[in-house]
Structure formats: structure tokens, C-alpha cells
Amino acid sequence: MVESSDPSMRTVTVELGDDRTYPVHVGRGAVTRLAELIPERSRRVAIVTQSGIPHTIDTGRDQRVFVIGDGEASKTLSTIESLCESFAEWNLTRADAVIGLGGGLVTDVAGFAASVYHRGLPVIHVSTSLLGQIDAAIGGKTGVNLPQGKNLVGAYWQPRGVICDTEFLDTLPEREWRCGMGELAKYHWLGGGRLDELDLDDRVAQCVRIKAEVVASDERESSRRAILNYGHTLGHAIEVAGDHQLRHGEAVAIGLIYAAELAQSLGRITADDVAEHRRVVAGYGLPTQIPDDLGDDELITLMGRDKKVLDAGLTFVLDGPNGVEVVHSVDPELVRSTLAALR
Ligand code: GLY
């Protein structure tokens, strides 16, 4: 990872294998760095966005806006198909570029379309949500949902660069802001420390640095990258069991506290460590208890379907003496009894 020497702009360079690198520009006004990320030879730029995104960008090229629908229901293969058809009708070529302008859903879809259209063309993400800036836009995971589950079809397709203009966050609705904080909270235990004491630009940049380092160490999630799912095992189960009444970041916040309680039950961390998890999550105004209508049996069944599971026990990402790591074969009875700590 390399830092820019420009003090007004925090630039983190994601360093992958085979000399593949890309910059992530973080800060107010970072969008002014967009033009330099577009390949010189690109004549056309396809901007993929949603109608509710209140931002426009000027690429200085022949540009066209392609609007996709809102919500998870739009994150489908048919959206990819219709985007690619529209690209073809406009004669977009492999020398051109795609820009994802929006939150995580937009950058996941734009990135996937870019990965398959003409067998791959450059993509740049201009992330407009807190959750996107600290997580989804960085690291090259792209994809869409199937009726059978979320993000089941996709590709690793690294962007040429990412813009995290924190000025865009000024217009973020309150709940989306809070959801971003739920995802951000996990970085406190992934090496971020007291992120809540930093100003927003430094906080976003610090999360980007951590994510860049983890992705650089395990681009295709053969092992370590899974620590980015800290708090997600119960979090995902709560989202699904509650029919998405709690949003992703809110559910992950509860999942972080649960992971801490479970780690303490396993003797991996102390009561003070658990209290610190509760302090951080509550400090970001996030929920700390499992909703009453979600039963233990359903949550345990859903946690057992987690992609990380290898055997009869359950698998979690847990804090411990060596930091946060993936822990397999956790006793289902302990998993059940620990749920009571969040009731
Ligand atoms: N959002 C988790 C990852 O990018 O691996």
C-alpha cells in the first residue's frame, strides 16, 4: 500500500499481485481526480447509476447515462443483459470504459457488466454511499443475485480506480448513514482502533487502507479475506429471517456484538473486550439486540448455511489473541446459548 504525499487528498494504492495496482482517492472533492482514471484511449464512457443518485459527473468524453432500478430486486442477470444490450446498441468497445456511480448495488452491477461485456472492459467506481466507500467499491467483488440467494453469480473484476468523495455523503439519508456505520464498526477490530475519534475523511481513508491491505493479501478470498465478514454470520441470518426489515449494516452491528459474546464464551477475549464492542456499536446509534420476533432455531439454521461452513459445527469470524480470524467447528449448543446475551 502506498500513500499520496498530497496532504489535501488521501490516496490509498491497492497493490495486487503481478504489479496490478489502482488508486482510491478519498476526501472532499475527490471526484476532481476522476478524469485521470479514465484510459486515454477511451472515447466513450458508460455511466451506470440509479435515478435516486443526486450526483452527476463530467468525464470530458462522449458519455451516456444508463439507469438501473433500485433495490435488491434489480440486482439480477436480466439487468446485466439489458445493460450489455444498451452498451452494444451504443457501440461501446473494449477500448472504452464503464463508471459505476452510486452505492454498493450500483458498483456491484456496473463492475459485473464491465467484466463480461466484450469479455471485459475497464471500470471505475465513483462511490456515493458510506457503505460503498469503505467496503463494496474496493476489492473487485462484483455480482448479482439469483432467486436462490444473494450475490451467487459474479466475478472478481478490479476497478482501474475508485473515487470516495466524502462530499457526496452530505446528502446521504440518515438510515443509510447509520447502515454504513454498521459496516464501518467492524474495522475497529481489523486494525482500525479508535476510528470514532477520527474525522470523517480520515475514518473513511483508514477503512480503505485496511480493506486494501486485506484484499492485497488474499484477493480471491481463499482464506484471510473472509475476516472482512466480521459480524456477518449472525448479521446475514437476521437480515434473511427478518425479511430485510433491518438493513445490512444494522444487522451486522448486532452480529458484531454477538461475535464478541461468542468469542468470550470460547475464552478468546475478555468481558472488557465485549464491553468495547457494545460501546462502539451503541456509539454509532446502531441496534444491539436481536429483534424479538426472530427465533433461535431459525437463526441457527440460517447461520449453518453460511458459505464459510466446512463441517457439522458452525463457522464464525471471531476476535481472539491473534486478532480477528475464521474459527470453524463452533459447538451449536454454545451458539444457541450465546444468543440469549442479545435478548
Ligand atoms: N465485502 C467483503 C469483501 O469485499 O470481501
Side-chain angles (χ1 to χ4, degrees), residues 1 24 39 59 65 73 88 108 114 135 148 157 168 174 186 204 206 211 224 226 229 248 252 259 262 300 320 333:
M1 223 175 340
V24 183
T59 61
V65 174
D108 277 10
D135 192 28
Q148 288 77 9
W157 192 246
F168 289 170
E174 173 65 26
K186 74 184 181 190
V204 171
Q206 182 64 353
K211 176 131 194 194
R224 184 164 177 255
N229 291 330
H248 180 69
V252 167
L262 190 58
I300 289 167
E333 279 317 307

Short mmCIF file of all heavy atoms in Angstrom, two decimals, residues 1 24 39 59 65 73 88 108 114 135 148 157 168 174 186 204 206 211 224 226 229 248 252 259 262 300 320 333:
data_model
loop_
_atom_site.label_atom_id
_atom_site.label_comp_id
_atom_site.label_asym_id
_atom_site.label_seq_id
_atom_site.Cartn_x
_atom_site.Cartn_y
_atom_site.Cartn_z
N MET A 1 0.83 -1.19 0.00
CA MET A 1 0.00 0.00 0.00
C MET A 1 0.88 1.26 0.00
O MET A 1 1.83 1.33 0.76
CB MET A 1 -0.82 0.00 1.27
CG MET A 1 -2.23 0.38 1.08
SD MET A 1 -3.12 0.19 2.62
CE MET A 1 -2.13 -0.91 3.57
N VAL A 24 -7.22 4.66 -4.80
CA VAL A 24 -8.51 5.03 -4.24
C VAL A 24 -8.32 6.44 -3.68
O VAL A 24 -7.53 6.65 -2.76
CB VAL A 24 -8.93 4.07 -3.10
CG1 VAL A 24 -10.32 4.45 -2.57
CG2 VAL A 24 -8.90 2.62 -3.56
N PRO A 39 -9.01 5.59 -19.07
CA PRO A 39 -7.93 5.31 -20.03
C PRO A 39 -7.89 6.37 -21.13
O PRO A 39 -8.94 6.80 -21.61
CB PRO A 39 -8.29 3.95 -20.61
CG PRO A 39 -9.22 3.33 -19.62
CD PRO A 39 -9.94 4.45 -18.95
N THR A 59 -17.09 13.49 -17.50
CA THR A 59 -15.89 12.71 -17.77
C THR A 59 -15.01 13.36 -18.85
O THR A 59 -13.90 12.90 -19.11
CB THR A 59 -16.27 11.29 -18.26
OG1 THR A 59 -17.02 11.42 -19.48
CG2 THR A 59 -17.08 10.55 -17.22
N VAL A 65 -25.61 8.03 -19.88
CA VAL A 65 -26.02 7.52 -18.57
C VAL A 65 -26.98 6.34 -18.75
O VAL A 65 -27.91 6.42 -19.55
CB VAL A 65 -26.69 8.65 -17.75
CG1 VAL A 65 -27.27 8.11 -16.44
CG2 VAL A 65 -25.68 9.76 -17.46
N ALA A 73 -34.08 -6.29 -5.89
CA ALA A 73 -34.83 -6.91 -6.99
C ALA A 73 -34.24 -6.53 -8.34
O ALA A 73 -34.48 -7.20 -9.35
CB ALA A 73 -36.29 -6.50 -6.91
N ALA A 88 -24.09 -2.33 -26.34
CA ALA A 88 -23.86 -2.76 -27.73
C ALA A 88 -24.57 -1.83 -28.70
O ALA A 88 -24.01 -1.48 -29.75
CB ALA A 88 -24.33 -4.20 -27.90
N ASP A 108 -21.55 -2.97 -7.74
CA ASP A 108 -21.54 -4.43 -7.97
C ASP A 108 -22.05 -4.76 -9.37
O ASP A 108 -21.49 -5.62 -10.07
CB ASP A 108 -22.45 -5.15 -6.96
CG ASP A 108 -21.78 -5.40 -5.62
OD1 ASP A 108 -20.68 -4.87 -5.39
OD2 ASP A 108 -22.38 -6.12 -4.79
N ALA A 114 -19.22 -4.71 -16.66
CA ALA A 114 -17.92 -4.39 -17.27
C ALA A 114 -17.05 -5.64 -17.40
O ALA A 114 -16.27 -5.78 -18.35
CB ALA A 114 -17.19 -3.34 -16.44
N ASP A 135 -16.24 -0.19 1.73
CA ASP A 135 -16.24 -1.64 1.51
C ASP A 135 -16.52 -2.03 0.06
O ASP A 135 -15.62 -2.45 -0.67
CB ASP A 135 -17.26 -2.31 2.45
CG ASP A 135 -17.12 -3.82 2.50
OD1 ASP A 135 -16.02 -4.33 2.26
OD2 ASP A 135 -18.13 -4.50 2.76
N GLN A 148 -32.23 -18.00 -5.64
CA GLN A 148 -31.74 -18.88 -4.57
C GLN A 148 -30.88 -18.16 -3.54
O GLN A 148 -30.57 -18.73 -2.49
CB GLN A 148 -30.93 -20.04 -5.17
CG GLN A 148 -31.76 -21.07 -5.91
CD GLN A 148 -32.20 -20.62 -7.29
OE1 GLN A 148 -31.77 -19.58 -7.80
NE2 GLN A 148 -33.10 -21.38 -7.90
N TRP A 157 -13.44 -8.49 -10.54
CA TRP A 157 -13.06 -7.58 -11.62
C TRP A 157 -12.60 -6.28 -10.97
O TRP A 157 -13.42 -5.47 -10.54
CB TRP A 157 -14.25 -7.35 -12.57
CG TRP A 157 -13.86 -6.67 -13.86
CD1 TRP A 157 -14.23 -5.42 -14.26
CD2 TRP A 157 -13.04 -7.19 -14.91
NE1 TRP A 157 -13.69 -5.12 -15.49
CE2 TRP A 157 -12.96 -6.20 -15.91
CE3 TRP A 157 -12.36 -8.40 -15.08
CZ2 TRP A 157 -12.22 -6.38 -17.08
CZ3 TRP A 157 -11.63 -8.57 -16.26
CH2 TRP A 157 -11.57 -7.57 -17.23
N PHE A 168 -20.06 13.75 -1.20
CA PHE A 168 -21.27 13.06 -1.64
C PHE A 168 -22.07 12.53 -0.44
O PHE A 168 -23.26 12.25 -0.56
CB PHE A 168 -20.93 11.87 -2.56
CG PHE A 168 -20.43 12.26 -3.93
CD1 PHE A 168 -19.90 11.30 -4.78
CD2 PHE A 168 -20.50 13.57 -4.38
CE1 PHE A 168 -19.45 11.63 -6.05
CE2 PHE A 168 -20.04 13.93 -5.64
CZ PHE A 168 -19.51 12.95 -6.49
N GLU A 174 -30.41 9.56 6.60
CA GLU A 174 -29.98 9.18 7.94
C GLU A 174 -29.80 7.65 8.11
O GLU A 174 -28.81 7.18 8.65
CB GLU A 174 -31.02 9.73 8.93
CG GLU A 174 -30.88 9.29 10.38
CD GLU A 174 -29.59 9.82 11.03
OE1 GLU A 174 -29.07 10.86 10.59
OE2 GLU A 174 -29.10 9.16 11.98
N LYS A 186 -16.93 -2.68 12.07
CA LYS A 186 -16.11 -3.90 12.09
C LYS A 186 -14.61 -3.58 12.01
O LYS A 186 -13.77 -4.31 12.54
CB LYS A 186 -16.50 -4.84 10.94
CG LYS A 186 -16.03 -4.37 9.57
CD LYS A 186 -16.49 -5.25 8.42
CE LYS A 186 -15.96 -4.70 7.09
NZ LYS A 186 -16.52 -5.32 5.92
N VAL A 204 -12.80 7.27 6.79
CA VAL A 204 -13.02 6.54 5.54
C VAL A 204 -11.67 6.03 4.99
O VAL A 204 -11.53 4.87 4.61
CB VAL A 204 -13.76 7.42 4.49
CG1 VAL A 204 -13.80 6.74 3.13
CG2 VAL A 204 -15.17 7.73 4.98
N GLN A 206 -8.94 5.39 6.53
CA GLN A 206 -8.37 4.31 7.36
C GLN A 206 -9.04 2.97 7.04
O GLN A 206 -8.38 1.94 6.93
CB GLN A 206 -8.52 4.67 8.85
CG GLN A 206 -7.94 3.66 9.82
CD GLN A 206 -6.41 3.52 9.72
OE1 GLN A 206 -5.76 4.08 8.82
NE2 GLN A 206 -5.84 2.74 10.60
N LYS A 211 -8.96 -2.29 4.21
CA LYS A 211 -9.53 -3.18 3.19
C LYS A 211 -8.49 -3.47 2.10
O LYS A 211 -8.35 -4.60 1.64
CB LYS A 211 -10.80 -2.57 2.58
CG LYS A 211 -11.33 -3.43 1.45
CD LYS A 211 -12.77 -3.74 1.49
CE LYS A 211 -13.08 -4.87 0.49
NZ LYS A 211 -14.48 -5.05 0.20
N ARG A 224 -7.87 -15.42 4.21
CA ARG A 224 -7.88 -14.27 5.11
C ARG A 224 -8.94 -13.23 4.78
O ARG A 224 -9.48 -12.57 5.67
CB ARG A 224 -6.48 -13.62 5.08
CG ARG A 224 -6.37 -12.46 6.06
CD ARG A 224 -4.92 -12.06 6.32
NE ARG A 224 -4.87 -10.92 7.21
CZ ARG A 224 -4.60 -9.68 6.82
NH1 ARG A 224 -4.30 -9.43 5.55
NH2 ARG A 224 -4.59 -8.68 7.68
N ALA A 226 -11.85 -13.43 4.29
CA ALA A 226 -13.11 -13.70 5.00
C ALA A 226 -13.23 -12.90 6.30
O ALA A 226 -14.33 -12.72 6.81
CB ALA A 226 -13.25 -15.19 5.26
N ASN A 229 -15.76 -10.27 6.79
CA ASN A 229 -17.14 -10.63 7.12
C ASN A 229 -17.35 -10.67 8.63
O ASN A 229 -18.29 -11.32 9.11
CB ASN A 229 -17.50 -11.98 6.51
CG ASN A 229 -17.58 -11.90 5.01
OD1 ASN A 229 -17.92 -10.85 4.45
ND2 ASN A 229 -17.25 -12.99 4.34
N HIS A 248 -28.68 -4.14 6.06
CA HIS A 248 -27.42 -4.88 6.21
C HIS A 248 -26.55 -4.36 7.36
O HIS A 248 -26.15 -5.12 8.24
CB HIS A 248 -26.66 -4.83 4.88
CG HIS A 248 -25.36 -5.56 4.90
ND1 HIS A 248 -25.28 -6.93 4.98
CD2 HIS A 248 -24.08 -5.10 4.88
CE1 HIS A 248 -24.01 -7.28 5.00
NE2 HIS A 248 -23.26 -6.20 4.94
N VAL A 252 -25.49 -6.28 10.76
CA VAL A 252 -24.07 -6.57 11.03
C VAL A 252 -23.67 -6.02 12.41
O VAL A 252 -22.89 -6.64 13.14
CB VAL A 252 -23.17 -5.98 9.92
CG1 VAL A 252 -21.70 -5.97 10.33
CG2 VAL A 252 -23.35 -6.77 8.62
N ALA A 259 -20.77 -11.81 17.92
CA ALA A 259 -19.45 -12.44 17.70
C ALA A 259 -18.55 -12.21 18.91
O ALA A 259 -17.77 -13.10 19.29
CB ALA A 259 -18.81 -11.88 16.42
N LEU A 262 -19.75 -14.50 21.71
CA LEU A 262 -19.36 -15.88 21.41
C LEU A 262 -17.86 -16.09 21.65
O LEU A 262 -17.43 -17.10 22.21
CB LEU A 262 -19.73 -16.20 19.95
CG LEU A 262 -19.64 -17.65 19.50
CD1 LEU A 262 -20.53 -18.57 20.36
CD2 LEU A 262 -20.03 -17.77 18.03
N ILE A 300 -30.24 -20.12 13.89
CA ILE A 300 -29.17 -21.13 13.87
C ILE A 300 -29.17 -21.87 12.53
O ILE A 300 -28.11 -22.12 11.96
CB ILE A 300 -29.33 -22.09 15.07
CG1 ILE A 300 -28.96 -21.31 16.35
CG2 ILE A 300 -28.43 -23.31 14.93
CD1 ILE A 300 -29.34 -21.97 17.63
N GLY A 320 -9.81 -12.65 18.93
CA GLY A 320 -9.08 -13.55 19.82
C GLY A 320 -7.66 -13.07 20.01
O GLY A 320 -7.30 -11.98 19.56
N GLU A 333 -24.49 -25.84 20.43
CA GLU A 333 -25.15 -25.54 21.71
C GLU A 333 -24.65 -24.23 22.29
O GLU A 333 -25.40 -23.46 22.89
CB GLU A 333 -24.94 -26.69 22.72
CG GLU A 333 -25.89 -27.85 22.51
CD GLU A 333 -27.33 -27.38 22.23
OE1 GLU A 333 -27.89 -26.59 23.02
OE2 GLU A 333 -27.91 -27.79 21.19
#
